[in-house]
Each structure stands twice: as C-alpha cells, then as structure tokens.
C-alpha cells in the first residue's frame, strides 16, 4: 500500500497532496537498487463491483528512491483528487504530513 506510511518504519520524505510527507523508504530503496518497476494499481468501488485500474509504469532503474516515491505520490495524489470518496486513508493524512517534516 503505497498510499500510506507506518511511523514505526524507515521513511523518506517526498511531496504528497501538496505537502512534504513521510513515505515508506524500503520499497523505494529496493526499486532503485534493483531497477524494479512500480505498477500503480487502484481498486475502485463502482456500481457494487470493484474495478481494478492499472496506471502507467514507474521505472526504478536509474532513479533514486526519493524520485520514485515522488512519482508514485504524484500519481496516487492525482487519483485521490479525481475520486476523493474512493480513498480510505484520509484519517492518516495529517500524521503522514507531520512525519514528513525534517528535524
């Protein structure tokens, strides 16, 4: 779940919904180190069904972890703005922004 951050895990800071926010560092470090592609997948509830939407691929090769996190956050943020009622993590947003503040 790339749209959330657990405060007990290692973080990196990248923009999310207009502010610096904590993002899970491990997955982006792995993508960068091994050149893995991140595939944005959105599960959307519509007409009593779940629709799966796959976004454009995000390459890891040649990018540092923060660049990858920034692109993932941008794409996830765009989907949230398009369909805010679909996002279930609104209750964690303030904490994610707070953890995104560098000391």
């Amino acid at each position: 779940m790339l749209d959330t951050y657990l405060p007990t895990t290692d973080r990196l800071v990248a923009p999310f919904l207009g502010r610096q926010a904590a993002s899970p560092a491990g997955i982006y470090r792995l993508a960068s180190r091994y050149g893995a592609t991140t595939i944005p997948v959105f599960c959307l509830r519509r007409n009593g069904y779940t629709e799966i939407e796959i976004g454009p691929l995000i390459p890891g090769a040649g990018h540092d972890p923060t660049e990858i996190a920034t692109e993932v956050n941008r794409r996830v943020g765009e989907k949230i703005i398009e369909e805010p009622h679909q996002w279930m993590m609104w209750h964690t947003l303030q904490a994610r922004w707070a953890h995104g503040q560098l000391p």
Side-chain angles (χ1 to χ4, degrees):
M1 289 180 36
L2 300 177
D3 62 341
T4 191
Y5 166 75
L6 299 173
T8 57
T9 62
D10 198 14
R11 71 172 177 164
L12 56 81
V13 175
F16 184 62
L17 292 174
R19 292 177 57 184
Q20 292 295 88
S23 296
I27 191 73
Y28 300 118
R29 287 182 183 147
L30 288 170
S32 175
R33 179 179 299 152
Y34 296 106
T37 298
T38 301
I39 304 170
V41 176
F42 303 99
C43 298
L44 306 166
R45 297 169 309 282
R46 293 192 177 122
N47 301 319
Y49 296 95
T50 300
E51 293 182 17
I52 305 299
E53 183 177 309
I54 299 174
L57 305 180
I58 301 169
H63 298 281
D64 73 37
T66 302
E67 290 173 321
I68 300 167
T70 297
E71 184 60 16
V72 167
N73 286 350
R74 183 184 71 76
R75 301 238 186 115
V76 169
E78 286 175 351
K79 183 52 70 179
I80 291 168
I81 297 303
E82 283 177 25
E83 303 191 57
H85 61 284
Q86 296 278 353
W87 195 45
M88 298 172 26
M89 300 307 294
W90 285 109
H91 66 283
T92 66
L93 184 57
Q94 292 294 329
R96 189 166 175 193
W97 282 339
H99 283 98
Q101 301 305 307
L102 296 174

